Amino acid sequence: MNGFLSNKIAVVTGATKGIGRSIAESLAREGASVAICGRSQTSAETVAKEIAAATGGAVEGTALDVRDPIAVTKFFNFVDDKFGALDILVNNAGIGIFSPVADLTYEAWKETLDTNLSGVFYCCKEGIPRLQRRGGGSIINISSLAGRNPFNGGAAYNASKFGLNGFSEAMMLDHRNDKIRVTYVMPGSVDTGFSPRSAPANWKIAAQDVADVVIAVLRMPERTTISRVEMRPSIPPK
């Protein structure tokens, strides 16, 4: 594959569907070798083969629960074995459990924070030394406008995304002199299966739109970091 990401190696977490899959496909189309993961080994392997067939790129997939730091280490060792290095890390894996605080279970709170925030830390902890060995690279965290706009029933999700935004900004300051560019992308309503719906919502952001932003961020010259991107539906329902 020829593209501006030829000879680059990328990781996309939570890439078996929705935004993550669109990002992985776009990276592969631009020439990157891509490692993806999801909760299911079967789906990760199947989607990797589908993306490879559609793009002609080198794509590998395996199961990963980002809440488990030991499993995260094993996943990055898998990436080393398959591709030998890392240039781009896209942290997309996430969940949403929505409930008023009085009804929010301890288990739901922990699962949300462990997935949406701690999981990103674990992946960055493994990814940063690999990027440093390459002389720099990019980390893109898929956040949400819920990271700045609270909503009813969103306490756990809001907390995880507010935290992710702060984590991303501090990490950018920590590692900008390592030539590691850190960006967080904050989409509003995206038309995926993340939230239950009876039919496609054409007014929402498409998953591919988020992928296009990721590609645009990566196209920036190395002298420039786009640290934050906010995305909103142009014409939401009144």
Side-chain angles (χ1 to χ4, degrees):
M1 289 290 294
N2 293 321
F4 84 100
L5 294 177
S6 294
N7 302 316
K8 299 295 185 181
I9 297 132
V11 161
V12 185
T13 67
T16 57
K17 57 186 177 181
I19 292 171
R21 178 166 180 159
S22 292
I23 293 171
E25 289 176 349
S26 295
L27 292 169
R29 286 194 192 97
E30 293 294 344
S33 300
V34 184
I36 68 169
C37 61
R39 291 286 186 96
S40 162
Q41 181 70 26
T42 299
S43 64
E45 291 179 349
T46 299
V47 170
K49 291 177 182 177
E50 291 172 353
I51 295 174
T55 63
V59 186
E60 298 285 346
T62 191
L64 173 63
D65 182 348
V66 297
R67 299 174 298 173
D68 181 351
I70 295 174
V72 170
T73 297
K74 291 180 179 178
F75 171 71
F76 278 86
N77 289 338
F78 165 86
V79 177
D80 293 340
D81 290 342
K82 295 296 183 181
F83 297 124
L86 180 68
D87 299 290
I88 300 162
L89 169 59
V90 181
N91 288 300
N92 171 74
I95 62 167
I97 301 174
F98 308 109
S99 173
V101 172
D103 301 325
L104 187 64
T105 66
Y106 298 125
E107 292 77 14
W109 170 266
K110 188 173 189 303
E111 183 177 5
T112 303
L113 272 292
D114 285 354
T115 303
N116 296 355
L117 184 54
S118 294
V120 175
F121 165 67
Y122 300 148
C123 290
C124 291
K125 184 73 172 173
E126 289 291 331
I128 286 170
R130 290 166 168 82
L131 297 177
Q132 289 171 324
R133 289 196 289 270
R134 294 284 272 186
S138 295
I139 298 174
I140 301 176
N141 296 330
I142 306 303
S143 183
S144 168
L145 285 179
R148 60 168 291 174
N149 301 322
F151 59 90
N152 293 344
Y157 189 72
N158 287 138
S160 70
K161 294 302 186 178
F162 270 75
L164 177 57
N165 294 351
F167 172 79
S168 300
E169 292 190 9
M171 180 168 59
M172 182 269 290
L173 297 174
D174 285 341
H175 293 289
R176 62 197 307 181
N177 290 328
D178 294 327
K179 297 184 179 179
I180 296 174
R181 300 190 294 180
V182 178
T183 303
Y184 62 101
V185 181
M186 304 166 65
S189 299
V190 181
D191 187 22
T192 68
F194 189 82
S195 298
R197 70 196 193 286
S198 58
N202 294 330
W203 60 270
K204 291 184 177 182
I205 298 166
Q208 185 60 49
D209 298 344
V210 183
D212 290 346
V213 166
V214 170
I215 295 299
V217 165
L218 293 171
R219 282 188 181 277
M220 291 301 297
E222 291 184 359
R223 64 178 176 266
T224 301
T225 295
I226 297 176
S227 56
R228 179 178 69 195
V229 179
E230 296 186 13
M231 303 177 65
R232 292 173 173 80
S234 295
I235 309 176
K238 293 183 178 179

